[in-house]
Amino acid sequence: EDFAQLGRCVEQLHTQVVAQEQQLEVAQSKATAAEAEVKEARATVQAQHEQLMVRDLEMKERLEDMELTVERLQALQQYTEGLESDLDGSREAAEENEATRQCLEA
């Protein structure tokens, strides 16, 4: 009877070992899957980071272009204001010339 009880204990231990081995395999499989997910997430984050860096660079270039455009527009506005001033001066001179011409004709 001791041998029978010993056999049952060995069988019970064997069953427990097999169950634990199966649990270990499941846990290892889950860990492997989680590692793959983490690796994929890291790759996604890295790709998004690179995209953001490219966008940031593009935005900086656009901003620089806009700043140059603003500077050019300001220079053009000053030039236009100068031309308007010159035109006003020319009109005044033309009016004076016309007045002088009319005086001379009279």
Side-chain angles (χ1 to χ4, degrees):
E1 182 168 316
D2 287 340
F3 286 114
Q5 186 177 0
L6 184 60
R8 285 192 300 273
C9 285
V10 168
E11 188 175 314
Q12 186 180 14
L13 287 174
H14 176 70
T15 302
Q16 288 177 352
V17 167
V18 169
Q20 288 176 345
E21 286 176 344
Q22 289 174 344
Q23 289 174 349
L24 179 61
E25 287 177 13
V26 169
Q28 287 175 335
S29 175
K30 288 180 180 179
T32 301
E35 287 175 357
E37 287 179 20
V38 167
K39 188 175 182 179
E40 184 178 337
R42 283 184 179 152
T44 300
V45 167
Q46 179 65 28
Q48 290 173 343
H49 176 71
E50 290 173 5
Q51 288 176 347
L52 287 174
M53 295 299 287
V54 168
R55 287 182 185 164
D56 184 53
L57 183 61
E58 290 173 349
M59 294 301 284
K60 285 179 182 176
E61 289 174 353
R62 286 183 185 170
L63 180 60
E64 289 175 2
D65 288 346
M66 287 181 195
E67 288 172 347
L68 286 174
T69 300
V70 166
E71 289 175 10
R72 290 178 184 145
L73 287 173
Q74 288 173 339
L76 183 59
Q77 182 179 7
Q78 289 175 350
Y79 177 73
T80 302
E81 289 170 357
L83 288 178
E84 288 173 350
S85 176
D86 290 348
L87 182 60
D88 288 342
S90 295
R91 283 185 186 142
E92 289 175 9
E95 289 171 2
E96 289 175 8
N97 288 343
E98 180 62 23
T100 302
R101 186 186 65 78
Q102 288 178 359
C103 282
L104 291 175
E105 288 179 354

